[in-house]
Amino acid sequence: MRISRDATTPGRTTEHEDAGPAAVPLDGRRVRAAVIGTGAIASGSHLPALAALAAEGEVEIVAAVDIDAGAVQRFCAGGGVPHGYTDLGRMLAEQRPDLVCVCTPPTLHREQTAAALRAGAWVWCEKPPVPSLADFDAVEALEGADGGPYASIVFQHRFGSGARHVRRLIAGRAMGRPLVAHCQTTWYRDAAYYAVPWRGRWETEGGGPAMGHGIHQMDLLLDLLGPWSEVRAMAGRLVHDVQTEDVSTALVRFGSGALATVVNSVLSPDEVSRIRIDCERATVELTHLYGHGNDNWRITPAPGVPAEDVAAWRDFGADVPSSHLAQLRELVASMRAGERPRSSGADGRTSLELITALYKSAFTDTTVRAGEIGPGDPYYTVLHGGAPGWAPATHEEASA
Protein backbone atom coordinates (compact mmCIF):
# COMPACT_ATOMS: atom_id res chain seq x y z
CA MET A 1 0.00 0.00 0.00
CA ARG A 2 1.19 3.52 -0.72
CA ILE A 3 0.01 6.90 0.57
CA SER A 4 -0.14 9.87 -1.77
CA ARG A 5 -1.27 13.46 -1.58
CA ASP A 6 -4.27 14.39 -3.71
CA ALA A 7 -3.23 17.67 -5.29
CA THR A 8 -6.82 18.62 -6.11
CA THR A 9 -8.15 18.50 -2.56
CA PRO A 10 -6.16 20.23 0.23
CA GLY A 11 -5.46 17.96 3.16
CA ARG A 12 -6.74 14.88 1.42
CA THR A 13 -4.67 11.72 1.21
CA THR A 14 -5.55 8.45 -0.41
CA GLU A 15 -4.39 4.92 0.28
CA HIS A 16 -3.64 3.04 -2.92
CA GLU A 17 -4.00 -0.71 -2.79
CA ASP A 18 -3.62 -3.32 -5.46
CA ALA A 19 -6.87 -3.07 -7.40
CA GLY A 20 -6.79 -6.62 -8.68
CA PRO A 21 -7.09 -7.44 -12.37
CA ALA A 22 -7.40 -4.56 -14.80
CA ALA A 23 -10.59 -4.10 -16.78
CA VAL A 24 -10.82 -6.51 -19.71
CA PRO A 25 -10.90 -4.77 -23.13
CA LEU A 26 -14.40 -4.96 -24.56
CA ASP A 27 -13.31 -5.21 -28.21
CA GLY A 28 -16.79 -4.45 -29.50
CA ARG A 29 -18.49 -7.26 -27.60
CA ARG A 30 -21.46 -6.84 -25.27
CA VAL A 31 -20.79 -5.53 -21.77
CA ARG A 32 -21.44 -8.32 -19.25
CA ALA A 33 -23.51 -6.73 -16.46
CA ALA A 34 -24.58 -7.98 -13.03
CA VAL A 35 -26.90 -6.50 -10.41
CA ILE A 36 -26.33 -6.61 -6.63
CA GLY A 37 -29.55 -6.19 -4.66
CA THR A 38 -32.89 -6.98 -6.26
CA GLY A 39 -35.23 -4.52 -4.57
CA ALA A 40 -37.32 -1.70 -6.01
CA ILE A 41 -34.49 0.43 -7.44
CA ALA A 42 -32.98 -2.59 -9.18
CA SER A 43 -36.22 -3.87 -10.68
CA GLY A 44 -37.74 -0.46 -11.40
CA SER A 45 -34.72 1.45 -12.75
CA HIS A 46 -31.57 -0.61 -13.32
CA LEU A 47 -33.14 -3.65 -14.95
CA PRO A 48 -35.16 -1.62 -17.52
CA ALA A 49 -32.07 0.46 -18.39
CA LEU A 50 -29.94 -2.65 -18.82
CA ALA A 51 -32.67 -4.35 -20.83
CA ALA A 52 -32.93 -1.36 -23.18
CA LEU A 53 -29.20 -1.49 -23.92
CA ALA A 54 -29.38 -5.28 -24.20
CA ALA A 55 -31.99 -4.85 -26.94
CA GLU A 56 -29.52 -2.59 -28.75
CA GLY A 57 -26.74 -5.16 -28.53
CA GLU A 58 -24.69 -3.15 -26.04
CA VAL A 59 -25.23 -5.12 -22.81
CA GLU A 60 -25.74 -8.69 -21.67
CA ILE A 61 -27.30 -9.15 -18.22
CA VAL A 62 -25.52 -12.20 -16.82
CA ALA A 63 -26.35 -12.39 -13.13
CA ALA A 64 -28.03 -10.97 -10.04
CA VAL A 65 -27.14 -11.26 -6.36
CA ASP A 66 -29.29 -10.97 -3.23
CA ILE A 67 -29.03 -12.45 0.24
CA ASP A 68 -32.70 -13.46 -0.12
CA ALA A 69 -32.75 -16.54 -2.36
CA GLY A 70 -36.42 -16.14 -3.14
CA ALA A 71 -36.01 -12.48 -4.08
CA VAL A 72 -33.16 -13.15 -6.48
CA GLN A 73 -35.04 -16.06 -8.07
CA ARG A 74 -38.07 -13.84 -8.68
CA PHE A 75 -35.88 -11.06 -10.06
CA CYS A 76 -34.11 -13.40 -12.47
CA ALA A 77 -37.33 -15.03 -13.60
CA GLY A 78 -39.05 -11.71 -14.19
CA GLY A 79 -36.10 -10.10 -15.95
CA GLY A 80 -34.75 -13.01 -17.94
CA VAL A 81 -31.49 -13.01 -15.98
CA PRO A 82 -29.77 -16.39 -16.38
CA HIS A 83 -27.88 -16.71 -13.09
CA GLY A 84 -28.97 -15.89 -9.54
CA TYR A 85 -26.65 -15.92 -6.53
CA THR A 86 -26.74 -15.30 -2.81
CA ASP A 87 -22.95 -14.98 -2.62
CA LEU A 88 -21.28 -11.96 -4.24
CA GLY A 89 -17.77 -13.43 -4.30
CA ARG A 90 -18.95 -16.55 -6.03
CA MET A 91 -20.82 -14.55 -8.67
CA LEU A 92 -17.78 -12.38 -9.39
CA ALA A 93 -15.53 -15.43 -9.71
CA GLU A 94 -17.87 -17.46 -11.89
CA GLN A 95 -19.43 -14.81 -14.14
CA ARG A 96 -16.58 -12.27 -14.42
CA PRO A 97 -18.90 -9.30 -15.17
CA ASP A 98 -17.55 -6.16 -16.80
CA LEU A 99 -20.05 -3.94 -14.96
CA VAL A 100 -21.69 -4.35 -11.56
CA CYS A 101 -24.75 -2.31 -10.54
CA VAL A 102 -24.88 -1.86 -6.76
CA CYS A 103 -28.51 -1.45 -5.62
CA THR A 104 -28.24 -2.22 -1.90
CA PRO A 105 -28.56 0.01 1.22
CA PRO A 106 -25.71 2.55 1.63
CA THR A 107 -23.95 0.74 4.47
CA LEU A 108 -23.09 -2.10 2.06
CA HIS A 109 -21.80 0.04 -0.81
CA ARG A 110 -18.15 0.28 0.18
CA GLU A 111 -17.59 -3.44 0.70
CA GLN A 112 -19.50 -4.49 -2.42
CA THR A 113 -17.94 -1.83 -4.65
CA ALA A 114 -14.48 -2.79 -3.44
CA ALA A 115 -15.13 -6.45 -4.16
CA ALA A 116 -16.26 -5.67 -7.70
CA LEU A 117 -13.29 -3.40 -8.41
CA ARG A 118 -10.86 -6.02 -7.13
CA ALA A 119 -12.47 -8.49 -9.53
CA GLY A 120 -11.79 -6.11 -12.42
CA ALA A 121 -15.39 -4.92 -12.87
CA TRP A 122 -16.53 -1.34 -13.32
CA VAL A 123 -19.16 -0.25 -10.78
CA TRP A 124 -22.32 1.80 -11.06
CA CYS A 125 -23.44 2.43 -7.48
CA GLU A 126 -26.73 3.90 -6.31
CA LYS A 127 -26.66 7.10 -4.30
CA PRO A 128 -25.63 7.90 -1.68
CA PRO A 129 -22.36 6.33 -2.79
CA VAL A 130 -20.93 5.53 0.66
CA PRO A 131 -21.57 6.90 4.17
CA SER A 132 -18.47 9.09 4.42
CA LEU A 133 -15.60 10.77 2.60
CA ALA A 134 -13.23 8.26 4.19
CA ASP A 135 -15.20 5.44 2.58
CA PHE A 136 -15.26 7.23 -0.77
CA ASP A 137 -11.49 7.75 -0.75
CA ALA A 138 -10.93 4.10 0.17
CA VAL A 139 -13.04 2.99 -2.79
CA GLU A 140 -11.34 5.42 -5.18
CA ALA A 141 -7.96 4.02 -4.12
CA LEU A 142 -9.01 0.64 -5.56
CA GLU A 143 -9.78 1.99 -9.02
CA GLY A 144 -7.52 1.22 -11.95
CA ALA A 145 -4.68 3.65 -12.54
CA ASP A 146 -5.38 4.05 -16.25
CA GLY A 147 -8.36 2.83 -18.24
CA GLY A 148 -10.34 1.47 -15.32
CA PRO A 149 -12.02 -0.19 -13.68
CA TYR A 150 -13.76 2.86 -12.20
CA ALA A 151 -16.64 3.29 -9.75
CA SER A 152 -19.39 5.68 -10.84
CA ILE A 153 -22.36 6.96 -8.83
CA VAL A 154 -25.96 6.97 -10.01
CA PHE A 155 -26.61 10.69 -10.48
CA GLN A 156 -29.09 10.36 -13.33
CA HIS A 157 -30.46 13.91 -12.93
CA ARG A 158 -27.24 15.23 -14.51
CA PHE A 159 -27.99 13.36 -17.70
CA GLY A 160 -30.41 13.95 -20.56
CA SER A 161 -30.87 16.79 -23.03
CA GLY A 162 -32.12 19.45 -20.60
CA ALA A 163 -29.23 19.32 -18.17
CA ARG A 164 -26.73 19.05 -21.02
CA HIS A 165 -28.15 22.13 -22.79
CA VAL A 166 -28.26 24.31 -19.67
CA ARG A 167 -24.78 23.21 -18.60
CA ARG A 168 -23.43 24.39 -21.96
CA LEU A 169 -25.28 27.71 -21.73
CA ILE A 170 -23.90 28.41 -18.26
CA ALA A 171 -20.38 27.21 -19.04
CA GLY A 172 -20.28 29.40 -22.15
CA ARG A 173 -21.74 32.40 -20.29
CA ALA A 174 -24.42 32.70 -22.99
CA MET A 175 -26.81 34.07 -20.36
CA GLY A 176 -24.07 35.99 -18.55
CA ARG A 177 -22.55 35.16 -15.18
CA PRO A 178 -24.61 33.04 -12.76
CA LEU A 179 -25.40 35.18 -9.71
CA VAL A 180 -28.11 33.71 -7.48
CA ALA A 181 -29.35 30.13 -7.19
CA HIS A 182 -31.91 28.10 -5.28
CA CYS A 183 -31.83 24.32 -4.86
CA GLN A 184 -34.91 22.70 -3.33
CA THR A 185 -35.76 19.10 -2.50
CA THR A 186 -38.91 19.33 -0.43
CA TRP A 187 -40.53 15.91 -0.24
CA TYR A 188 -42.83 14.10 2.18
CA ARG A 189 -42.10 10.89 4.07
CA ASP A 190 -44.36 9.51 6.80
CA ALA A 191 -43.70 7.34 9.84
CA ALA A 192 -44.26 4.16 7.83
CA TYR A 193 -41.37 5.12 5.56
CA TYR A 194 -39.03 5.37 8.55
CA ALA A 195 -40.30 2.09 10.00
CA VAL A 196 -37.84 0.36 7.66
CA PRO A 197 -35.04 -0.49 10.13
CA TRP A 198 -32.09 0.97 8.19
CA ARG A 199 -33.70 4.35 7.46
CA GLY A 200 -33.07 7.44 9.55
CA ARG A 201 -29.96 5.93 11.14
CA TRP A 202 -26.43 7.24 10.70
CA GLU A 203 -24.83 3.80 10.64
CA THR A 204 -27.00 2.37 7.87
CA GLU A 205 -28.24 5.35 5.83
CA GLY A 206 -25.32 7.72 6.34
CA GLY A 207 -27.50 10.79 6.81
CA GLY A 208 -30.99 12.24 6.50
CA PRO A 209 -32.69 14.02 3.58
CA ALA A 210 -29.55 15.98 2.73
CA MET A 211 -27.77 12.69 2.05
CA GLY A 212 -30.53 10.37 0.91
CA HIS A 213 -32.91 12.69 -0.94
CA GLY A 214 -31.47 16.13 -1.73
CA ILE A 215 -28.16 14.73 -2.97
CA HIS A 216 -29.58 14.50 -6.51
CA GLN A 217 -30.51 18.17 -6.83
CA MET A 218 -27.36 19.34 -5.04
CA ASP A 219 -25.26 17.23 -7.40
CA LEU A 220 -27.05 18.72 -10.41
CA LEU A 221 -26.56 22.24 -9.03
CA LEU A 222 -22.83 21.58 -8.66
CA ASP A 223 -22.68 20.09 -12.15
CA LEU A 224 -24.23 23.29 -13.54
CA LEU A 225 -22.41 25.89 -11.44
CA GLY A 226 -19.02 24.31 -10.80
CA PRO A 227 -16.97 24.20 -7.59
CA TRP A 228 -18.38 25.50 -4.31
CA SER A 229 -16.16 27.40 -1.87
CA GLU A 230 -18.01 27.63 1.46
CA VAL A 231 -21.24 26.62 3.19
CA ARG A 232 -23.22 27.81 6.22
CA ALA A 233 -26.03 25.48 7.34
CA MET A 234 -28.71 24.60 9.88
CA ALA A 235 -30.45 21.27 10.51
CA GLY A 236 -33.45 20.14 12.52
CA ARG A 237 -35.24 17.04 13.72
CA LEU A 238 -38.75 18.47 13.77
CA VAL A 239 -41.17 15.56 13.25
CA HIS A 240 -39.66 12.11 12.88
CA ASP A 241 -38.17 9.95 15.62
CA VAL A 242 -34.88 9.36 13.83
CA GLN A 243 -31.17 9.79 14.54
CA THR A 244 -30.58 12.01 11.53
CA GLU A 245 -32.16 15.34 10.59
CA ASP A 246 -35.49 15.54 8.76
CA VAL A 247 -34.88 19.07 7.39
CA SER A 248 -31.86 21.23 6.60
CA THR A 249 -31.13 24.60 5.05
CA ALA A 250 -27.84 25.98 3.76
CA LEU A 251 -26.21 29.00 2.19
CA VAL A 252 -23.53 28.10 -0.36
CA ARG A 253 -20.95 30.31 -2.04
CA PHE A 254 -19.48 29.10 -5.33
CA GLY A 255 -16.03 29.66 -6.73
CA SER A 256 -17.58 31.90 -9.38
CA GLY A 257 -18.97 34.13 -6.63
CA ALA A 258 -22.56 32.98 -7.12
CA LEU A 259 -24.64 32.51 -3.97
CA ALA A 260 -27.19 29.73 -3.44
CA THR A 261 -29.78 28.60 -0.92
CA VAL A 262 -30.32 24.86 -0.45
CA VAL A 263 -33.36 23.32 1.29
CA ASN A 264 -33.76 19.58 1.93
CA SER A 265 -36.92 18.32 3.64
CA VAL A 266 -39.05 15.22 4.12
CA LEU A 267 -41.76 17.28 5.87
CA SER A 268 -43.37 18.90 2.81
CA PRO A 269 -46.81 17.62 1.63
CA ASP A 270 -46.56 19.69 -1.57
CA GLU A 271 -43.60 17.80 -2.99
CA VAL A 272 -41.25 19.38 -5.52
CA SER A 273 -37.66 19.30 -6.73
CA ARG A 274 -36.47 22.63 -8.06
CA ILE A 275 -33.34 24.40 -9.23
CA ARG A 276 -33.39 28.08 -10.16
CA ILE A 277 -30.36 30.01 -11.39
CA ASP A 278 -30.47 33.76 -11.96
CA CYS A 279 -27.84 34.85 -14.48
CA GLU A 280 -27.09 38.34 -15.72
CA ARG A 281 -29.25 37.96 -18.82
CA ALA A 282 -31.81 35.32 -17.86
CA THR A 283 -33.29 33.07 -15.18
CA VAL A 284 -33.25 29.34 -15.85
CA GLU A 285 -35.49 27.13 -13.73
CA LEU A 286 -36.09 23.39 -13.46
CA THR A 287 -39.24 22.17 -11.67
CA HIS A 288 -40.04 18.44 -11.39
CA LEU A 289 -40.16 15.68 -8.78
CA TYR A 290 -38.19 12.53 -9.55
CA GLY A 291 -37.02 13.16 -13.11
CA HIS A 292 -37.13 15.79 -15.83
CA GLY A 293 -37.46 16.31 -19.56
CA ASN A 294 -37.07 19.39 -21.74
CA ASP A 295 -40.54 20.68 -20.81
CA ASN A 296 -39.56 20.87 -17.13
CA TRP A 297 -37.05 23.64 -17.88
CA ARG A 298 -38.03 27.31 -18.26
CA ILE A 299 -35.84 30.22 -19.36
CA THR A 300 -36.97 33.80 -18.66
CA PRO A 301 -34.88 36.53 -20.31
CA ALA A 302 -34.00 39.86 -18.76
CA PRO A 303 -35.53 42.96 -20.39
CA GLY A 304 -33.88 43.93 -23.66
CA VAL A 305 -32.38 40.54 -24.54
CA PRO A 306 -32.64 40.00 -28.33
CA ALA A 307 -35.35 37.57 -29.40
CA GLU A 308 -32.88 35.47 -31.40
CA ASP A 309 -30.79 34.88 -28.27
CA VAL A 310 -33.85 33.77 -26.32
CA ALA A 311 -34.90 31.44 -29.12
CA ALA A 312 -31.46 29.81 -29.12
CA TRP A 313 -31.52 29.39 -25.35
CA ARG A 314 -34.95 27.76 -25.48
CA ASP A 315 -33.97 25.30 -28.21
CA PHE A 316 -33.18 22.20 -26.18
CA GLY A 317 -33.13 19.89 -29.19
CA ALA A 318 -34.53 16.36 -29.13
CA ASP A 319 -35.98 15.46 -25.74
CA VAL A 320 -33.86 12.94 -23.83
CA PRO A 321 -35.29 12.77 -20.29
CA SER A 322 -33.03 12.36 -17.28
CA SER A 323 -32.97 8.67 -16.42
CA HIS A 324 -30.89 5.71 -15.44
CA LEU A 325 -30.84 4.78 -19.12
CA ALA A 326 -29.35 8.14 -20.14
CA GLN A 327 -26.53 7.79 -17.62
CA LEU A 328 -25.96 4.10 -18.32
CA ARG A 329 -25.64 4.80 -22.04
CA GLU A 330 -22.85 7.30 -21.35
CA LEU A 331 -21.20 4.99 -18.82
CA VAL A 332 -21.02 2.14 -21.32
CA ALA A 333 -19.50 4.51 -23.87
CA SER A 334 -16.85 5.44 -21.30
CA MET A 335 -16.16 1.77 -20.65
CA ARG A 336 -15.63 1.11 -24.34
CA ALA A 337 -13.28 4.11 -24.58
CA GLY A 338 -11.41 3.14 -21.40
CA GLU A 339 -12.10 6.61 -19.98
CA ARG A 340 -13.11 7.73 -16.51
CA PRO A 341 -16.90 8.27 -16.57
CA ARG A 342 -18.68 11.31 -15.26
CA SER A 343 -19.85 11.14 -11.61
CA SER A 344 -16.79 9.12 -10.60
CA GLY A 345 -13.57 10.10 -8.85
CA ALA A 346 -13.26 13.79 -7.97
CA ASP A 347 -16.33 14.56 -10.07
CA GLY A 348 -18.44 12.10 -8.08
CA ARG A 349 -16.96 13.17 -4.74
CA THR A 350 -17.94 16.84 -4.92
CA SER A 351 -21.57 16.48 -3.81
CA LEU A 352 -20.61 14.15 -0.93
CA GLU A 353 -18.05 16.72 0.22
CA LEU A 354 -20.68 19.48 0.13
CA ILE A 355 -23.12 17.35 2.14
CA THR A 356 -20.41 16.51 4.67
CA ALA A 357 -19.62 20.21 5.01
CA LEU A 358 -23.32 20.99 5.38
CA TYR A 359 -23.59 18.62 8.35
CA LYS A 360 -20.40 19.91 9.94
CA SER A 361 -21.56 23.50 9.58
CA ALA A 362 -25.00 22.75 10.99
CA PHE A 363 -23.71 20.76 13.97
CA THR A 364 -20.79 23.06 14.86
CA ASP A 365 -22.40 26.43 14.02
CA THR A 366 -19.46 27.40 11.79
CA THR A 367 -18.74 28.20 8.17
CA VAL A 368 -17.04 25.27 6.43
CA ARG A 369 -14.82 25.76 3.40
CA ALA A 370 -14.17 23.36 0.55
CA GLY A 371 -11.20 21.08 1.11
CA GLU A 372 -10.96 21.49 4.88
CA ILE A 373 -12.50 18.14 5.86
CA GLY A 374 -9.82 15.46 5.64
CA PRO A 375 -8.24 12.66 7.70
CA GLY A 376 -8.28 13.57 11.37
CA ASP A 377 -11.50 15.56 11.11
CA PRO A 378 -14.34 13.64 12.84
CA TYR A 379 -16.70 14.47 9.97
CA TYR A 380 -14.37 12.75 7.50
CA THR A 381 -15.31 9.33 8.88
CA VAL A 382 -18.94 9.84 9.95
CA LEU A 383 -21.36 12.60 9.01
CA HIS A 384 -22.63 13.31 12.52
CA GLY A 385 -19.03 13.99 13.56
CA GLY A 386 -19.77 12.87 17.11
CA ALA A 387 -21.75 16.06 17.72
CA PRO A 388 -23.77 16.10 20.97
CA GLY A 389 -27.46 15.65 20.30
CA TRP A 390 -26.81 14.20 16.85
CA ALA A 391 -24.40 11.29 17.34
CA PRO A 392 -26.15 8.06 18.36
CA ALA A 393 -26.32 7.61 22.12
CA THR A 394 -23.75 5.28 23.64
CA HIS A 395 -24.90 2.27 25.63
CA GLU A 396 -24.17 4.13 28.86
CA GLU A 397 -26.09 7.22 27.72
CA ALA A 398 -29.06 5.13 26.61
CA SER A 399 -29.15 3.35 29.97
CA ALA A 400 -28.96 6.55 32.01
Side-chain angles (χ1 to χ4, degrees), residues 173-218:
R173 295 293 189 262
M175 300 179 295
R177 291 184 300 123
L179 303 172
V180 183
H182 176 68
C183 180
Q184 175 184 352
T185 305
T186 44
W187 294 355
Y188 186 79
R189 298 293 184 266
D190 59 15
Y193 175 85
Y194 283 105
V196 177
W198 60 268
R199 287 181 176 147
R201 300 175 60 84
W202 295 108
E203 182 180 0
T204 50
E205 197 168 19
M211 181 70 153
H213 303 83
I215 189 172
H216 273 306
Q217 296 315 297
M218 287 187 282

Side-chain angles (χ1 to χ4, degrees), residues 333-346:
S334 296
M335 293 179 67
R336 294 198 180 281
E339 298 173 349
R340 176 177 286 283
R342 292 175 60 204
S343 77
S344 71

Side-chain angles (χ1 to χ4, degrees), residues 26-33 49-61 98 325 328-329 332-333 336:
L26 296 174
D27 297 330
R29 62 177 175 80
R30 289 175 180 252
V31 171
R32 293 172 54 82
L50 290 166
L53 289 191
E56 298 174 11
E58 285 286 335
V59 167
E60 176 186 3
I61 312 170
D98 305 301
L325 176 58
L328 179 61
R329 194 182 300 281
V332 169
R336 294 198 180 281

